Amino acid sequence: MTFRTFLRHLREGAKSVFRNGWMSVASIVSIIVSLFILGVFILLVLNVNALADEADSNVQVSAYLNLNVSQEQRERLQKEIQIMPEVKELRFVSKEEGMQELVEGFGEEGMDLLEGFTDGDNNPLPDSFVIDVVEPTTVPLLADKILALNETYAEKPIMRVKYGEGMVEKLFEITKYVRNIGFIFVAGLALMSIFLISNTIRVTILARRREIGIMKLVGATNTFIRWPFFVEGALIGMIGSLITVGLLYLGYSQLRSAMMGDITLSRSLIPLEEIGYLLGGALVLLGMLIGIFGSTMSIRKSLKV
């Protein structure tokens, strides 16, 4: 194909978009509706996954020490836990720090409620290690490994290990289902979008079956006939997807602005700059591919003249 022929196909494809009037508008609207629904679900799934990841990352293991543990034993135990491959970060929390955090957790009533226990001699809290993990799903395994360290000491230094047993496993199961269901919804909507848009474009091409037949009769090859339709489908897909990206950008920006009053909610939404270019590029590319695919599938029967 010469460059001149390629320019001719581009020109004819662009002309067809405007020449077909309402049929092109119908195809573009079909793409906008389908990709907008798909884009909304993708944003929803991305934000739900982000929340699930945040919930996973907040899972910690707390190892509480017996009151008679010496500093030497504590330091040895700390080193043994730190070298475990599941451990990301370990923080020692003294009984005084633990009491201070407890008081702050109760707020203004904390001082009155816990008065008399904040003194070092009367503090009933044990020293502890707070451990962040590399992979949240390894929390139960890490807890078992920490408890097993008791067997290497004459007197067990670890009183108990706490990580939300039962609830953590349910959290991991729920987040796994959320991700899987979200992926299935997005894949299903993508397939539905392809089917809906290709059918709309097929109607457009069927309405021009006579034009295709005439081109065949005057000796035009199938490739020569196809190219303007490929260009038309790509342009329709690009126009529809660009409008969709603009609508999603405005809608998401307005939603984040409306939530700025609630810091917790606003932080829970992924910033648009983190996903905007990737999502926008993917939707534009998908729109163009759907347009080309719809044209390819729809023109096949018309070429059998």
Side-chain angles (χ1 to χ4, degrees):
M1 181 191 300
T2 64
F3 182 70
R4 185 176 180 180
T5 304
F6 180 70
L7 288 179
R8 182 262 173 195
H9 293 324
L10 289 178
R11 186 172 58 253
E12 288 300 316
K15 285 181 180 179
S16 296
V17 174
F18 297 98
R19 187 189 306 141
N20 293 321
W22 289 110
M23 295 301 294
S24 295
V25 172
S27 299
I28 292 172
V29 170
S30 177
I31 289 176
I32 292 172
V33 172
S34 301
L35 291 185
F36 184 81
I37 296 172
L38 178 62
V40 168
F41 266 89
I42 291 175
L43 286 172
L44 179 63
V45 169
L46 288 175
N47 279 285
V48 169
N49 280 338
L51 286 173
D53 290 338
E54 185 178 354
D56 287 349
S57 63
N58 288 332
V59 175
Q60 294 179 322
V61 177
S62 297
Y64 297 95
L65 308 182
N66 282 310
L67 298 178
N68 58 351
V69 174
S70 65
Q71 182 176 352
E72 182 181 350
Q73 285 179 316
R74 176 178 64 76
E75 291 175 352
R76 175 189 163 188
L77 188 63
Q78 182 171 344
K79 291 179 181 178
E80 289 179 331
I81 296 174
Q82 279 181 324
I83 63 173
M84 293 181 179
E86 296 84 5
V87 175
K88 178 181 180 181
E89 185 178 351
L90 182 146
R91 181 170 65 94
F92 171 69
V93 180
S94 66
K95 57 193 301 184
E96 292 77 18
E97 291 173 326
M99 178 58 70
Q100 183 63 32
E101 291 178 3
L102 186 63
V103 170
E104 291 175 357
F106 277 105
E108 295 181 359
E109 299 178 356
M111 290 299 296
D112 295 332
L113 185 66
L114 299 172
E115 187 179 2
F117 294 102
T118 54
D119 182 78
D121 296 331
N122 298 326
N123 189 341
L125 297 181
D127 294 333
S128 65
F129 297 126
V130 177
I131 305 151
D132 293 323
V133 294
V134 176
E135 174 57 46
T137 54
T138 62
V139 165
L141 173 64
L142 178 62
D144 292 338
K145 289 176 69 173
I146 293 173
L147 278 175
L149 292 175
N150 272 335
E151 305 302 324
T152 63
Y153 292 82
E155 296 184 3
K156 297 180 179 181
I158 303 171
M159 179 167 53
R160 70 178 183 276
V161 176
K162 184 179 178 183
Y163 65 92
E165 186 176 1
M167 292 184 63
V168 167
E169 287 83 358
K170 288 181 180 179
L171 173 64
F172 293 152
E173 188 175 355
I174 290 171
T175 53
K176 182 182 73 173
Y177 280 125
V178 166
R179 292 186 177 98
N180 292 339
I181 292 172
F183 175 78
I184 292 171
F185 266 110
V186 169
L189 281 169
L191 291 174
M192 184 189 74
S193 300
I194 292 173
F195 176 77
L196 178 61
I197 295 166
S198 63
N199 278 339
T200 305
I201 295 175
R202 182 178 302 171
V203 173
T204 304
I205 293 176
L206 287 176
R208 299 165 61 189
R209 192 161 34 178
R210 184 179 176 183
E211 175 188 341
I212 296 171
I214 293 172
M215 293 176 70
K216 287 278 290 183
L217 290 174
V218 298
T221 63
N222 288 346
T223 302
F224 188 84
I225 295 171
R226 280 192 182 104
W227 265 100
F229 287 103
F230 291 166
V231 173
E232 182 182 354
L235 286 174
I236 287 174
M238 184 176 66
I239 293 169
S241 56
L242 285 174
I243 294 173
T244 302
V245 170
L247 292 174
L248 287 172
Y249 180 86
L250 288 174
Y252 196 75
S253 299
Q254 290 297 320
L255 181 62
R256 279 184 59 84
S257 297
M259 289 184 171
M260 287 305 291
D262 191 317
I263 298 177
T264 304
L265 287 176
S266 62
R267 286 182 178 176
S268 64
L269 289 177
I270 302 175
L272 194 59
E273 54 269 21
E274 291 185 11
I275 56 174
Y277 292 111
L278 182 61
L279 178 61
L283 288 177
V284 171
L285 179 62
L286 179 61
M288 294 178 68
L289 289 175
I290 288 173
I292 295 171
F293 177 79
S295 297
T296 303
M297 298 302 295
S298 304
I299 201 174
R300 184 174 296 174
K301 290 183 179 180
S302 299
L303 289 175
K304 298 176 181 178
V305 178

